[in-house]
Amino acid sequence: MDATQTKPLAYTVEQTLELVPLSRTRLYAAIGNGELRTFKDGRRRLISAQALQEFVALLERRAGT
C-alpha cells in the first residue's frame, strides 16, 4: 500500500464534519461532554481515527443498531 492509499491517523474538526454528518454545534457538544475524545497540537484540535470510530460506534449503540 503506498502513501496515497493510507488513511489519516487524525482529523481536524473540519475534516471530521465532512466524514460524519453532524452539525458543528453537535460535534463540539460531543467533545465537551466527553463522548468524543480529542487532542490539541498547538491551537488545532484533532480527533484520532480511533476516537472517531469509537464515537460512531457509540452513536450506533444509542440508536439501537
Side-chain angles (χ1 to χ4, degrees), residues 3 6 11 19 22 25 30 32 38-40 42-43 49 53-55:
T6 60
Y11 301 95
L19 296 170
L22 295 174
T25 301
T38 65
F39 62 97
K40 291 188 88 172
R43 295 179 63 185
Q53 289 173 339
E54 292 169 2
F55 176 63

Side-chain angles (χ1 to χ4, degrees), residues 9-30:
L9 295 176
Y11 301 95
T12 64
V13 169
E14 291 74 23
Q15 290 170 323
T16 301
L17 290 170
E18 292 176 12
L19 296 170
V20 181
L22 295 174
S23 70
R24 180 178 297 276
T25 301
R26 173 63 179 103
L27 186 69
Y28 275 107

Side-chain angles (χ1 to χ4, degrees), residues 29-58:
I31 292 168
N33 66 25
E35 292 175 319
L36 178 57
R37 293 179 293 110
T38 65
F39 62 97
K40 291 188 88 172
D41 179 33
R43 295 179 63 185
R44 292 186 336 157
R45 181 168 301 279
L46 298 168
I47 299 140
S48 71
Q50 180 180 356
L52 185 55
Q53 289 173 339
E54 292 169 2
F55 176 63
V56 170
L58 172 68

